[in-house]
Amino acid sequence: MTAMVLDGAALAAEVRATVHGRATQLASHGVVPTLAVVLVGDDPASAVYVKAKTKAAQDAGVTPRDHRLPHATTERELLTLVDSLNRDPHVDGILIQMPLPAHINADLVLGAIDPTKDVDGLHPISLGLLAQGRPRFVPCTPRGVMHLLDHAGVALEGARAVVLGRSVLVGKPMALLLSNANATVVLCHSRTRDLPDEVRRADIVVAAVGRPGMVRGDWIRDGAVVIDVGINRGTDGKLCGDVAYAEAAQHARAITPVPKGVGPMTIACLLENTVDAAQRRRGAGA
Ligand code: NDP
């Protein structure tokens, strides 16, 4: 079987083009979608992500507002900034780049964001609404995965979906989205008894574990759809996913590569969430 390669880079470009069109239309109503991006400290990987998000925002007609704070910033100072962004009528979305320095309670800061500006979808209200099946802001990576599945025409209703990883950022919201779309979902984690056996029963596999090449080809049922969220450094220093791609592609009907699979979709969906926020907050027509 030759797997169809799900090209996240191409689909992300389509999503960004749609965002650009919506942002242009909002601008004609005098609304400039604005995304505040907050980076605390000097973690080099975080700086790269923030730069990519800022550039993608600019290209899509979303105005980024950079807030770079030193590592020594206190929790109180960060909460004060969040409060001022909450109250700023020009700011539509607030993104706090993770991870925060260890002396800052990330849950406290995420919970302080105005839920109507929570474009990362990590506020308890956003996650609660998703759990209730009436989502407002969906975390960007799982939203991107849903776009990929939709674009590939994958039928979710009644399908058996196995999600590997139960983080609040990826695995849990992913499982909720698939369940809301009427898939039968199994959510696996480090204590799952027989992971290969669970994966072998899946029509759809979403791997978000952070372990290079952990999912082997012989775990993949013939004709399954494989979504690899993992972004890892392999032993050869190259970027790789959680799935042993070449092996899995021999069994899968469709599979995402790493890079250029889920990764580009995450940023595109952040911009989508920001334009959604601008539209909802200002009551402006799309
Ligand atoms: P976390 O470390 O927060 O969560 C990892 C999850 O995997 C946990 O639920 C953990 O289980 C589970 N896990 C760890 N080891 C095993 C194992 N041996 N068997 C089964 N389950 C295991 O990671 P994230 O969810 O934040 O990220 C996962 C991956 O996705 C990473 O590679 C990350 O870089 C990537 N990522 C990619 C994004 C993108 O845009 N493409 C965005 C975000 C993340 P337990 O709960 O029991 O500890």
Side-chain angles (χ1 to χ4, degrees):
M1 179 171 304
T2 311
M4 169 169 61
V5 180
L6 303 178
D7 184 344
L11 184 56
E14 281 181 32
V15 172
R16 289 197 309 266
T18 304
V19 167
H20 192 274
R22 292 174 62 197
T24 306
Q25 203 155 1
L26 282 165
S28 72
H29 289 75
V31 172
V32 180
T34 300
L35 173 65
V37 182
V38 180
L39 174 62
V40 184
D42 38 27
D43 177 53
S46 294
V48 170
Y49 288 137
V50 161
K51 198 171 161 200
K53 288 170 186 177
T54 306
K55 162 94 171 59
Q58 271 161 345
D59 292 349
V62 171
T63 300
R65 276 232 217 131
D66 256 355
H67 295 269
R68 308 225 167 189
L69 306 179
H71 183 271
T73 302
T74 65
E75 191 175 275
R76 171 70 24 223
E77 285 167 338
L78 183 54
L79 288 169
T80 302
L81 172 63
V82 170
D83 185 49
S84 75
L85 295 173
N86 285 345
R87 283 187 285 108
D88 186 333
H90 299 295
V91 170
D92 296 298
I94 301 171
L95 169 85
I96 313 282
Q97 182 64 42
M98 295 292 150
L100 288 171
H103 63 273
I104 296 177
N105 180 336
D107 286 338
L108 193 70
V109 174
L110 291 175
I113 294 173
D114 177 343
T116 67
K117 300 187 179 187
D118 178 37
V119 289
D120 242 356
L122 299 176
H123 190 287
I125 288 187
S126 301
L127 293 166
L129 288 170
L130 176 60
Q132 289 182 336
R134 46 192 194 111
R136 183 161 59 193
F137 293 115
V138 172
C140 305
T141 300
R143 184 172 185 176
V145 172
M146 295 303 279
H147 271 309
L148 280 162
L149 291 171
D150 181 53
H151 189 255
V154 177
L156 299 179
E157 180 148 339
R160 190 177 171 94
V162 171
V163 178
L164 308 183
R166 56 176 164 183
S167 70
V168 170
L169 187 63
V170 188
K172 278 188 185 138
M174 189 72 249
L176 288 168
L177 281 167
L178 289 165
S179 169
N180 289 350
N182 296 322
T184 302
V185 182
V186 177
L187 182 55
C188 299
H189 45 76
S190 66
R191 317 291 165 86
T192 296
R193 203 175 299 134
D194 188 344
L195 202 58
D197 192 49
E198 294 295 348
V199 176
R200 273 183 202 117
R201 284 198 292 253
D203 303 309
I204 299 161
V205 182
V206 181
V209 166
R211 299 196 173 246
M214 187 186 83
V215 178
R216 310 304 311 196
D218 66 359
W219 298 16
I220 304 299
R221 173 174 165 166
D222 283 336
V225 174
V226 178
I227 306 288
D228 190 352
V229 178
I231 301 180
N232 314 294
R233 281 278 160 214
T235 43
D236 56 2
K238 289 190 185 151
L239 277 190
C240 68
D242 291 342
V243 177
Y245 181 88
E247 292 176 14
Q250 289 177 15
H251 298 276
R253 169 160 73 83
I255 187 166
T256 57
V258 177
K260 298 191 176 173
V262 175
M265 293 302 296
T266 298
I267 294 185
C269 290
L270 169 68
L271 303 176
E272 207 174 32
N273 278 349
T274 305
V275 172
D276 287 350
Q279 218 168 304
R280 281 201 203 106
R281 285 186 56 253
R282 325 284 186 96

PDB file of all heavy atoms in Angstrom, residues 141 164-167 169-171 188-191 195 207-211 214 229-232 242 262-263 266, ligand 1:
ATOM      1  N   THR A 141      -2.941  22.984  17.963  1.00  0.00           N
ATOM      2  CA  THR A 141      -2.447  21.754  17.326  1.00  0.00           C
ATOM      3  C   THR A 141      -3.593  20.771  17.051  1.00  0.00           C
ATOM      4  O   THR A 141      -3.734  20.288  15.913  1.00  0.00           O
ATOM      5  CB  THR A 141      -1.333  21.123  18.178  1.00  0.00           C
ATOM      6  OG1 THR A 141      -0.273  22.073  18.299  1.00  0.00           O
ATOM      7  CG2 THR A 141      -0.793  19.855  17.547  1.00  0.00           C
ATOM      8  N   LEU A 164      -2.361   8.902  21.299  1.00  0.00           N
ATOM      9  CA  LEU A 164      -1.250   8.571  22.184  1.00  0.00           C
ATOM     10  C   LEU A 164      -0.763   9.869  22.823  1.00  0.00           C
ATOM     11  O   LEU A 164      -0.314  10.767  22.124  1.00  0.00           O
ATOM     12  CB  LEU A 164      -0.100   7.922  21.406  1.00  0.00           C
ATOM     13  CG  LEU A 164      -0.453   6.732  20.519  1.00  0.00           C
ATOM     14  CD1 LEU A 164       0.806   6.162  19.879  1.00  0.00           C
ATOM     15  CD2 LEU A 164      -1.157   5.665  21.319  1.00  0.00           C
ATOM     16  N   GLY A 165      -0.865   9.959  24.132  1.00  0.00           N
ATOM     17  CA  GLY A 165      -0.476  11.169  24.856  1.00  0.00           C
ATOM     18  C   GLY A 165      -1.712  11.879  25.367  1.00  0.00           C
ATOM     19  O   GLY A 165      -2.711  12.003  24.641  1.00  0.00           O
ATOM     20  N   ARG A 166      -1.658  12.323  26.638  1.00  0.00           N
ATOM     21  CA  ARG A 166      -2.843  12.929  27.259  1.00  0.00           C
ATOM     22  C   ARG A 166      -2.534  14.316  27.819  1.00  0.00           C
ATOM     23  O   ARG A 166      -3.065  14.720  28.860  1.00  0.00           O
ATOM     24  CB  ARG A 166      -3.371  12.029  28.367  1.00  0.00           C
ATOM     25  CG  ARG A 166      -2.334  11.716  29.427  1.00  0.00           C
ATOM     26  CD  ARG A 166      -2.904  10.904  30.576  1.00  0.00           C
ATOM     27  NE  ARG A 166      -1.833  10.317  31.361  1.00  0.00           N
ATOM     28  CZ  ARG A 166      -2.020   9.512  32.397  1.00  0.00           C
ATOM     29  NH1 ARG A 166      -3.243   9.210  32.784  1.00  0.00           N
ATOM     30  NH2 ARG A 166      -0.991   9.015  33.063  1.00  0.00           N
ATOM     31  N   SER A 167      -1.644  15.063  27.141  1.00  0.00           N
ATOM     32  CA  SER A 167      -1.344  16.411  27.635  1.00  0.00           C
ATOM     33  C   SER A 167      -2.551  17.324  27.420  1.00  0.00           C
ATOM     34  O   SER A 167      -3.395  17.083  26.550  1.00  0.00           O
ATOM     35  CB  SER A 167      -0.123  16.998  26.915  1.00  0.00           C
ATOM     36  OG  SER A 167      -0.445  17.284  25.574  1.00  0.00           O
ATOM     37  N   LEU A 169      -2.241  20.238  26.306  1.00  0.00           N
ATOM     38  CA  LEU A 169      -1.939  20.969  25.074  1.00  0.00           C
ATOM     39  C   LEU A 169      -2.408  20.212  23.829  1.00  0.00           C
ATOM     40  O   LEU A 169      -2.920  20.814  22.887  1.00  0.00           O
ATOM     41  CB  LEU A 169      -0.417  21.184  25.009  1.00  0.00           C
ATOM     42  CG  LEU A 169       0.142  22.058  23.914  1.00  0.00           C
ATOM     43  CD1 LEU A 169      -0.362  23.484  24.048  1.00  0.00           C
ATOM     44  CD2 LEU A 169       1.674  22.030  23.953  1.00  0.00           C
ATOM     45  N   VAL A 170      -2.217  18.895  23.809  1.00  0.00           N
ATOM     46  CA  VAL A 170      -2.507  18.134  22.585  1.00  0.00           C
ATOM     47  C   VAL A 170      -3.471  16.961  22.832  1.00  0.00           C
ATOM     48  O   VAL A 170      -4.583  16.943  22.315  1.00  0.00           O
ATOM     49  CB  VAL A 170      -1.209  17.593  21.922  1.00  0.00           C
ATOM     50  CG1 VAL A 170      -1.551  16.983  20.564  1.00  0.00           C
ATOM     51  CG2 VAL A 170      -0.152  18.660  21.769  1.00  0.00           C
ATOM     52  N   GLY A 171      -3.029  15.971  23.594  1.00  0.00           N
ATOM     53  CA  GLY A 171      -3.753  14.695  23.654  1.00  0.00           C
ATOM     54  C   GLY A 171      -5.188  14.823  24.136  1.00  0.00           C
ATOM     55  O   GLY A 171      -6.118  14.313  23.489  1.00  0.00           O
ATOM     56  N   CYS A 188      -4.482   6.955  25.131  1.00  0.00           N
ATOM     57  CA  CYS A 188      -3.391   6.160  25.727  1.00  0.00           C
ATOM     58  C   CYS A 188      -2.323   7.068  26.327  1.00  0.00           C
ATOM     59  O   CYS A 188      -2.199   8.237  25.956  1.00  0.00           O
ATOM     60  CB  CYS A 188      -2.744   5.294  24.655  1.00  0.00           C
ATOM     61  SG  CYS A 188      -3.877   4.120  23.906  1.00  0.00           S
ATOM     62  N   HIS A 189      -1.535   6.518  27.228  1.00  0.00           N
ATOM     63  CA  HIS A 189      -0.498   7.280  27.925  1.00  0.00           C
ATOM     64  C   HIS A 189       0.575   6.322  28.417  1.00  0.00           C
ATOM     65  O   HIS A 189       0.581   5.138  28.039  1.00  0.00           O
ATOM     66  CB  HIS A 189      -1.134   8.080  29.066  1.00  0.00           C
ATOM     67  CG  HIS A 189      -2.099   7.281  29.857  1.00  0.00           C
ATOM     68  ND1 HIS A 189      -1.689   6.340  30.772  1.00  0.00           N
ATOM     69  CD2 HIS A 189      -3.455   7.232  29.819  1.00  0.00           C
ATOM     70  CE1 HIS A 189      -2.754   5.762  31.297  1.00  0.00           C
ATOM     71  NE2 HIS A 189      -3.849   6.280  30.724  1.00  0.00           N
ATOM     72  N   SER A 190       1.445   6.815  29.289  1.00  0.00           N
ATOM     73  CA  SER A 190       2.612   6.005  29.665  1.00  0.00           C
ATOM     74  C   SER A 190       2.237   4.781  30.508  1.00  0.00           C
ATOM     75  O   SER A 190       3.046   3.876  30.660  1.00  0.00           O
ATOM     76  CB  SER A 190       3.622   6.865  30.423  1.00  0.00           C
ATOM     77  OG  SER A 190       3.087   7.283  31.659  1.00  0.00           O
ATOM     78  N   ARG A 191       1.033   4.758  31.054  1.00  0.00           N
ATOM     79  CA  ARG A 191       0.644   3.590  31.863  1.00  0.00           C
ATOM     80  C   ARG A 191      -0.272   2.638  31.091  1.00  0.00           C
ATOM     81  O   ARG A 191      -0.785   1.683  31.657  1.00  0.00           O
ATOM     82  CB  ARG A 191      -0.082   4.011  33.139  1.00  0.00           C
ATOM     83  CG  ARG A 191       0.510   5.187  33.872  1.00  0.00           C
ATOM     84  CD  ARG A 191       1.855   4.845  34.507  1.00  0.00           C
ATOM     85  NE  ARG A 191       2.523   6.087  34.878  1.00  0.00           N
ATOM     86  CZ  ARG A 191       2.342   6.722  36.026  1.00  0.00           C
ATOM     87  NH1 ARG A 191       1.526   6.234  36.921  1.00  0.00           N
ATOM     88  NH2 ARG A 191       2.982   7.849  36.270  1.00  0.00           N
ATOM     89  N   LEU A 195       0.328  -0.951  24.498  1.00  0.00           N
ATOM     90  CA  LEU A 195       0.171   0.136  23.523  1.00  0.00           C
ATOM     91  C   LEU A 195       0.093  -0.375  22.076  1.00  0.00           C
ATOM     92  O   LEU A 195      -0.827   0.007  21.335  1.00  0.00           O
ATOM     93  CB  LEU A 195       1.332   1.120  23.704  1.00  0.00           C
ATOM     94  CG  LEU A 195       1.134   2.523  23.195  1.00  0.00           C
ATOM     95  CD1 LEU A 195      -0.066   3.187  23.825  1.00  0.00           C
ATOM     96  CD2 LEU A 195       2.389   3.346  23.471  1.00  0.00           C
ATOM     97  N   ALA A 207      -0.437  10.419  17.220  1.00  0.00           N
ATOM     98  CA  ALA A 207       0.673  10.219  18.161  1.00  0.00           C
ATOM     99  C   ALA A 207       1.187  11.561  18.646  1.00  0.00           C
ATOM    100  O   ALA A 207       1.619  12.391  17.850  1.00  0.00           O
ATOM    101  CB  ALA A 207       1.795   9.435  17.486  1.00  0.00           C
ATOM    102  N   ALA A 208       1.101  11.800  19.964  1.00  0.00           N
ATOM    103  CA  ALA A 208       1.605  13.051  20.566  1.00  0.00           C
ATOM    104  C   ALA A 208       2.269  12.695  21.884  1.00  0.00           C
ATOM    105  O   ALA A 208       1.745  12.939  22.954  1.00  0.00           O
ATOM    106  CB  ALA A 208       0.462  14.045  20.774  1.00  0.00           C
ATOM    107  N   VAL A 209       3.443  12.104  21.764  1.00  0.00           N
ATOM    108  CA  VAL A 209       4.122  11.516  22.912  1.00  0.00           C
ATOM    109  C   VAL A 209       5.470  12.188  23.193  1.00  0.00           C
ATOM    110  O   VAL A 209       5.861  12.369  24.348  1.00  0.00           O
ATOM    111  CB  VAL A 209       4.310   9.990  22.636  1.00  0.00           C
ATOM    112  CG1 VAL A 209       5.299   9.379  23.605  1.00  0.00           C
ATOM    113  CG2 VAL A 209       2.973   9.268  22.715  1.00  0.00           C
ATOM    114  N   GLY A 210       6.194  12.528  22.110  1.00  0.00           N
ATOM    115  CA  GLY A 210       7.515  13.118  22.293  1.00  0.00           C
ATOM    116  C   GLY A 210       8.620  12.079  22.391  1.00  0.00           C
ATOM    117  O   GLY A 210       9.624  12.310  23.059  1.00  0.00           O
ATOM    118  N   ARG A 211       8.412  10.928  21.712  1.00  0.00           N
ATOM    119  CA  ARG A 211       9.446   9.877  21.696  1.00  0.00           C
ATOM    120  C   ARG A 211       9.733   9.488  20.251  1.00  0.00           C
ATOM    121  O   ARG A 211       8.873   8.918  19.580  1.00  0.00           O
ATOM    122  CB  ARG A 211       8.983   8.650  22.469  1.00  0.00           C
ATOM    123  CG  ARG A 211       8.732   8.998  23.898  1.00  0.00           C
ATOM    124  CD  ARG A 211       8.648   7.797  24.798  1.00  0.00           C
ATOM    125  NE  ARG A 211       8.579   8.298  26.147  1.00  0.00           N
ATOM    126  CZ  ARG A 211       9.512   8.117  27.060  1.00  0.00           C
ATOM    127  NH1 ARG A 211      10.578   7.414  26.783  1.00  0.00           N
ATOM    128  NH2 ARG A 211       9.378   8.640  28.256  1.00  0.00           N
ATOM    129  N   MET A 214       8.681   6.031  18.136  1.00  0.00           N
ATOM    130  CA  MET A 214       8.184   5.010  19.064  1.00  0.00           C
ATOM    131  C   MET A 214       7.131   4.096  18.413  1.00  0.00           C
ATOM    132  O   MET A 214       7.090   2.897  18.668  1.00  0.00           O
ATOM    133  CB  MET A 214       7.577   5.685  20.297  1.00  0.00           C
ATOM    134  CG  MET A 214       7.180   4.706  21.380  1.00  0.00           C
ATOM    135  SD  MET A 214       6.315   5.515  22.738  1.00  0.00           S
ATOM    136  CE  MET A 214       4.663   5.569  22.075  1.00  0.00           C
ATOM    137  N   VAL A 229       2.093  13.974  15.576  1.00  0.00           N
ATOM    138  CA  VAL A 229       2.237  15.322  16.150  1.00  0.00           C
ATOM    139  C   VAL A 229       3.659  15.553  16.660  1.00  0.00           C
ATOM    140  O   VAL A 229       4.130  16.684  16.761  1.00  0.00           O
ATOM    141  CB  VAL A 229       1.208  15.534  17.289  1.00  0.00           C
ATOM    142  CG1 VAL A 229       1.370  16.907  17.937  1.00  0.00           C
ATOM    143  CG2 VAL A 229      -0.217  15.376  16.763  1.00  0.00           C
ATOM    144  N   GLY A 230       4.357  14.484  16.964  1.00  0.00           N
ATOM    145  CA  GLY A 230       5.680  14.580  17.615  1.00  0.00           C
ATOM    146  C   GLY A 230       6.667  15.439  16.832  1.00  0.00           C
ATOM    147  O   GLY A 230       6.710  15.407  15.601  1.00  0.00           O
ATOM    148  N   ILE A 231       7.423  16.226  17.560  1.00  0.00           N
ATOM    149  CA  ILE A 231       8.562  16.947  16.970  1.00  0.00           C
ATOM    150  C   ILE A 231       9.751  16.647  17.874  1.00  0.00           C
ATOM    151  O   ILE A 231       9.821  17.136  19.009  1.00  0.00           O
ATOM    152  CB  ILE A 231       8.321  18.473  16.904  1.00  0.00           C
ATOM    153  CG1 ILE A 231       7.075  18.784  16.080  1.00  0.00           C
ATOM    154  CG2 ILE A 231       9.536  19.178  16.311  1.00  0.00           C
ATOM    155  CD1 ILE A 231       6.760  20.273  15.963  1.00  0.00           C
ATOM    156  N   ASN A 232      10.639  15.828  17.384  1.00  0.00           N
ATOM    157  CA  ASN A 232      11.769  15.372  18.196  1.00  0.00           C
ATOM    158  C   ASN A 232      13.054  15.481  17.392  1.00  0.00           C
ATOM    159  O   ASN A 232      13.022  15.556  16.176  1.00  0.00           O
ATOM    160  CB  ASN A 232      11.582  13.889  18.583  1.00  0.00           C
ATOM    161  CG  ASN A 232      10.173  13.597  19.071  1.00  0.00           C
ATOM    162  OD1 ASN A 232       9.768  14.084  20.106  1.00  0.00           O
ATOM    163  ND2 ASN A 232       9.427  12.795  18.302  1.00  0.00           N
ATOM    164  N   ASP A 242       6.984  10.983  16.210  1.00  0.00           N
ATOM    165  CA  ASP A 242       6.824   9.865  17.153  1.00  0.00           C
ATOM    166  C   ASP A 242       6.605   8.548  16.423  1.00  0.00           C
ATOM    167  O   ASP A 242       6.574   7.485  17.042  1.00  0.00           O
ATOM    168  CB  ASP A 242       5.599  10.114  18.059  1.00  0.00           C
ATOM    169  CG  ASP A 242       5.814  11.266  19.023  1.00  0.00           C
ATOM    170  OD1 ASP A 242       6.983  11.647  19.248  1.00  0.00           O
ATOM    171  OD2 ASP A 242       4.808  11.780  19.558  1.00  0.00           O
ATOM    172  N   VAL A 262       1.950  18.232  10.819  1.00  0.00           N
ATOM    173  CA  VAL A 262       1.103  18.945  11.781  1.00  0.00           C
ATOM    174  C   VAL A 262       1.696  20.309  12.152  1.00  0.00           C
ATOM    175  O   VAL A 262       0.956  21.273  12.377  1.00  0.00           O
ATOM    176  CB  VAL A 262       0.900  18.075  13.052  1.00  0.00           C
ATOM    177  CG1 VAL A 262       0.123  18.838  14.112  1.00  0.00           C
ATOM    178  CG2 VAL A 262       0.192  16.770  12.696  1.00  0.00           C
ATOM    179  N   GLY A 263       3.016  20.390  12.227  1.00  0.00           N
ATOM    180  CA  GLY A 263       3.690  21.616  12.708  1.00  0.00           C
ATOM    181  C   GLY A 263       3.170  22.900  12.084  1.00  0.00           C
ATOM    182  O   GLY A 263       2.712  23.804  12.797  1.00  0.00           O
ATOM    183  N   THR A 266      -0.273  24.216  13.184  1.00  0.00           N
ATOM    184  CA  THR A 266      -0.452  24.792  14.517  1.00  0.00           C
ATOM    185  C   THR A 266      -0.461  26.322  14.441  1.00  0.00           C
ATOM    186  O   THR A 266      -1.342  26.981  14.999  1.00  0.00           O
ATOM    187  CB  THR A 266       0.665  24.289  15.460  1.00  0.00           C
ATOM    188  OG1 THR A 266       0.536  22.867  15.559  1.00  0.00           O
ATOM    189  CG2 THR A 266       0.564  24.900  16.836  1.00  0.00           C
TER     190      THR A 266
HETATM  191  P1  NDP B   1       3.886  16.016  27.003  1.00  0.00           P
HETATM  192  O1  NDP B   1       5.260  15.619  27.428  1.00  0.00           O
HETATM  193  O2  NDP B   1       3.159  17.065  27.740  1.00  0.00           O
HETATM  194  O3  NDP B   1       2.961  14.698  27.019  1.00  0.00           O
HETATM  195  C1  NDP B   1       3.420  13.489  26.522  1.00  0.00           C
HETATM  196  C2  NDP B   1       2.350  12.440  26.690  1.00  0.00           C
HETATM  197  O4  NDP B   1       2.875  11.219  26.158  1.00  0.00           O
HETATM  198  C3  NDP B   1       1.967  12.156  28.153  1.00  0.00           C
HETATM  199  O5  NDP B   1       0.573  12.002  28.252  1.00  0.00           O
HETATM  200  C4  NDP B   1       2.705  10.856  28.463  1.00  0.00           C
HETATM  201  O6  NDP B   1       2.021  10.005  29.360  1.00  0.00           O
HETATM  202  C5  NDP B   1       2.730  10.179  27.109  1.00  0.00           C
HETATM  203  N1  NDP B   1       3.856   9.257  27.005  1.00  0.00           N
HETATM  204  C6  NDP B   1       5.157   9.498  27.293  1.00  0.00           C
HETATM  205  N2  NDP B   1       5.883   8.387  27.092  1.00  0.00           N
HETATM  206  C7  NDP B   1       5.023   7.426  26.693  1.00  0.00           C
HETATM  207  C8  NDP B   1       5.172   6.060  26.347  1.00  0.00           C
HETATM  208  N3  NDP B   1       6.357   5.431  26.372  1.00  0.00           N
HETATM  209  N4  NDP B   1       4.069   5.373  25.990  1.00  0.00           N
HETATM  210  C9  NDP B   1       2.863   5.980  25.971  1.00  0.00           C
HETATM  211  N5  NDP B   1       2.655   7.259  26.278  1.00  0.00           N
HETATM  212  C10 NDP B   1       3.733   7.980  26.641  1.00  0.00           C
HETATM  213  O7  NDP B   1       4.023  16.359  25.452  1.00  0.00           O
HETATM  214  P2  NDP B   1       3.115  17.268  24.468  1.00  0.00           P
HETATM  215  O8  NDP B   1       1.747  16.703  24.394  1.00  0.00           O
HETATM  216  O9  NDP B   1       3.290  18.694  24.792  1.00  0.00           O
HETATM  217  O10 NDP B   1       3.894  16.997  23.094  1.00  0.00           O
HETATM  218  C11 NDP B   1       3.980  15.710  22.532  1.00  0.00           C
HETATM  219  C12 NDP B   1       4.830  15.786  21.277  1.00  0.00           C
HETATM  220  O11 NDP B   1       4.199  16.643  20.343  1.00  0.00           O
HETATM  221  C13 NDP B   1       6.237  16.365  21.469  1.00  0.00           C
HETATM  222  O12 NDP B   1       7.121  15.724  20.564  1.00  0.00           O
HETATM  223  C14 NDP B   1       6.072  17.815  21.108  1.00  0.00           C
HETATM  224  O13 NDP B   1       7.294  18.392  20.654  1.00  0.00           O
HETATM  225  C15 NDP B   1       5.086  17.688  19.988  1.00  0.00           C
HETATM  226  N6  NDP B   1       4.279  18.896  19.772  1.00  0.00           N
HETATM  227  C16 NDP B   1       4.127  19.290  18.488  1.00  0.00           C
HETATM  228  C17 NDP B   1       3.353  20.371  18.183  1.00  0.00           C
HETATM  229  C18 NDP B   1       3.169  20.737  16.758  1.00  0.00           C
HETATM  230  O14 NDP B   1       2.853  21.865  16.464  1.00  0.00           O
HETATM  231  N7  NDP B   1       3.319  19.793  15.830  1.00  0.00           N
HETATM  232  C19 NDP B   1       2.722  21.190  19.225  1.00  0.00           C
HETATM  233  C20 NDP B   1       2.860  20.635  20.558  1.00  0.00           C
HETATM  234  C21 NDP B   1       3.641  19.528  20.796  1.00  0.00           C
HETATM  235  P3  NDP B   1       1.743  10.385  30.917  1.00  0.00           P
HETATM  236  O15 NDP B   1       0.604  11.372  30.884  1.00  0.00           O
HETATM  237  O16 NDP B   1       1.366   9.094  31.528  1.00  0.00           O
HETATM  238  O17 NDP B   1       3.013  10.960  31.427  1.00  0.00           O
END
